[in-house]
Amino acid sequence: MKRFFLAFVFCFSAIYTHAQSGYDITINLKNCKDTIAFLTYYQFDKTLIKDTCKSIKNGRIVFKGKDKLDKGIYTLVSQKKTIYFDFFIDDQNQKLELNSDLNLNDLDGLSAVNSPLENEFFDYIKFINKQNKEFQDYRISIDVKTKKDTLLLNEKQKVLDKRIQLYEQNFISKHKATYIADVIDLKMEKVLQDIPKASNGRPDSLMVYKYYKNHYWDNIDFKEDATMRNPFFFPKLKKYFESVIISHPDSLIVEVDRILDKTKQGSLLYKYTLAHLIYSYETSKIMGLDKVFVHISDHYFKTGKAGGIYDDDSVISRIMKRADLLRPLLIGANAPDLAMIKANDYEIVKKMGFEAAKNSEEATKVYYANEGVLNKMFNHLYSVNADFIILVFWDVDCGHCQKEIPKLIKLYNELKLDKKDLKVYSVYTLHEGDKYLKYIADNGLKDWINVYDGAHINNVTVKYDVYSTPVIYILDKNKKIKAKRIGVEQIKDIIEEMEKEYKKK
């Protein structure tokens, strides 16, 4: 029932036509026992403290300042960090007096002394609460147990939704061009009312989706920082990229650029949105969405459009460095080649002295002293010929690897019985060759291409972004990356999709 009540209770100020300097907010809080209170405000995904009242007398709380408050939604917070209620401030209204009796479940005692518009908004909030209570009472009365009960409840919800939507539309129309109307407009879902029928006679769900997507940001001013100073903008933005847009990197890249183009470069809204998007796609667990992260880095960070976003400028350098690392590992890219040492050649390479080298300089000397022999020993990833190449990075002592590698062995044997042209390029990420050879022998991995970075020339953990093990990549016959960082249980489905692609060609 999230749609039947607001996340917070707002209290909105009156609009004054005369010029004001500074702000003066007086709140008469009946039955207040606090000795201190805070004035906070919403900003994107955060709530920040703007002012503190350290002297409360008979429930009278006063916040004053020489400079005007930024337009936005503000909150009265108790000394125990309890939210009492929210209210808004705009450019014209900086002086406000409110009364409340501290009944957080009933707004009857909340009023504005000098703002008819605010009291109208309270009427709206009371209306929302009434619809919510009506729904809850109805739900209790039918005691939902059967499918029929659920259908009845859904129908009741639709009726109340329609009632609320009509009220909101009327409110916005009546108070057009005011901040309070903009906030409610931002909160509202823009949905298609008269849904046409598709060719199959059913409601046209595609038309519903297109309308919803195309009108999602109607009337939202991205040039105004106040747009993000309320509790609705950030969830709406997050929902848009996570649920509304198709989760495909190319589609998301188009929308990232479209949204950022709506903002004013250098504004707070621009900075917060850009910071949120770069973080979201750097940390996304969805395969392939790192392409969006690389795009944002290339088009906004490398071009100097990310200035002032972070207090520490080194963050921008770190982001660009991370994007550079991921770029050759994107889905569809040609996998970086590897020149590895076979596990069976461990003893030969060990005698060369690589493991005894104390630093990279000493390792380089060992390499050049044995370059001729090593060049004949290297096993290159690009020398592997198969329709399907499983590239796996792992460690014998890794607890997760000890669970996943046996699953991979089992799957590999099943796929080979199914006549799949498949090879496993098994990369041991450490240098304890004795353990590696023992595991190979004990677990029947002799049919795999078992290698490790014996000559210390690949730095495989960086080259393939292996920050934990195991890491599995799937390559096609041309060494293009088709999947990465997947679980063993996903491999079979991916290979089946690759087979379909091969047949089309």
Side-chain angles (χ1 to χ4, degrees), residues 93-323:
N93 176 39
Q94 299 281 324
K95 300 187 186 301
L96 180 65
E97 183 173 359
L98 300 174
N99 294 327
S100 175
D101 61 6
L102 277 186
N103 188 342
L104 302 182
N105 298 315
D106 187 351
L107 292 180
D108 287 344
L110 181 61
S111 64
V113 174
N114 53 351
S115 176
L117 178 58
E118 182 171 349
N119 285 318
E120 279 196 55
F121 181 71
F122 288 150
D123 288 340
Y124 161 69
I125 295 296
K126 292 170 186 176
F127 172 80
I128 295 291
N129 287 349
K130 182 180 178 182
Q131 308 314 304
N132 182 51
K133 185 177 185 306
E134 184 176 332
F135 179 83
Q136 296 300 337
D137 290 345
Y138 181 77
R139 183 173 184 172
I140 294 171
S141 69
I142 63 173
D143 190 18
V144 181
K145 292 180 179 179
T146 66
K147 185 177 180 179
K148 182 180 178 181
D149 295 334
T150 302
L151 291 173
L152 288 172
L153 195 64
N154 289 340
E155 286 302 315
K156 183 67 172 179
Q157 180 174 337
K158 290 178 182 178
V159 170
L160 297 180
D161 274 350
K162 190 73 175 179
R163 195 183 297 169
I164 290 172
Q165 185 180 56
L166 182 60
Y167 194 109
E168 290 175 335
Q169 288 172 343
N170 290 335
F171 189 95
I172 292 168
S173 179
K174 182 178 179 181
H175 301 293
K176 194 173 182 180
T178 65
Y179 183 65
I180 182 174
D182 291 342
V183 171
I184 295 177
D185 200 356
L186 178 65
K187 169 188 171 289
M188 285 185 66
E189 294 275 25
K190 279 70 174 182
V191 295
L192 183 61
Q193 298 301 315
D194 299 317
I195 303 173
K197 300 289 185 182
S199 57
N200 59 10
R202 296 177 180 176
D204 193 335
S205 58
L206 181 59
M207 183 69 73
V208 170
Y209 167 73
K210 286 182 177 179
Y211 182 92
Y212 184 65
K213 177 183 176 297
N214 292 337
H215 294 272
Y216 192 86
W217 295 112
D218 279 3
N219 308 320
I220 308 304
D221 185 1
F222 281 84
K223 296 289 194 294
E224 172 64 74
D225 284 341
T227 297
M228 70 169 180
R229 293 197 188 103
N230 61 71
F232 302 123
F233 178 79
F234 176 70
K236 191 178 185 77
L237 182 74
K238 195 167 183 287
K239 178 182 178 181
Y240 187 66
F241 282 98
E242 292 181 357
S243 305
V244 178
I245 302 305
I246 296 171
S247 190
H248 185 281
D250 293 339
S251 298
L252 290 165
I253 285 170
V254 169
E255 292 300 327
V256 164
D257 290 343
R258 193 170 75 86
I259 293 299
L260 289 173
D261 283 346
K262 287 175 176 286
T263 65
K264 186 189 300 182
Q265 187 177 327
S267 67
L268 280 178
L269 182 54
Y270 170 84
K271 291 177 181 178
Y272 273 86
T273 302
L274 181 54
H276 166 69
L277 292 171
I278 193 74
Y279 176 78
S280 296
Y281 293 111
E282 181 183 11
T283 58
S284 176
K285 301 299 182 184
I286 300 175
M287 184 175 64
L289 295 195
D290 50 355
K291 183 178 181 180
V292 186
F293 167 73
V294 172
H295 169 83
I296 297 174
S297 174
D298 289 348
H299 287 74
Y300 298 93
F301 285 73
K302 282 193 172 183
T303 58
K305 296 178 181 178
I309 292 181
Y310 306 104
D311 294 334
D312 184 356
D313 288 339
S314 67
V315 175
I316 293 178
S317 298
R318 182 194 63 76
I319 287 172
M320 292 189 295
K321 185 177 179 180
R322 176 75 180 151

Side-chain angles (χ1 to χ4, degrees), residues 386 429 432:
T429 57
E432 298 173 283

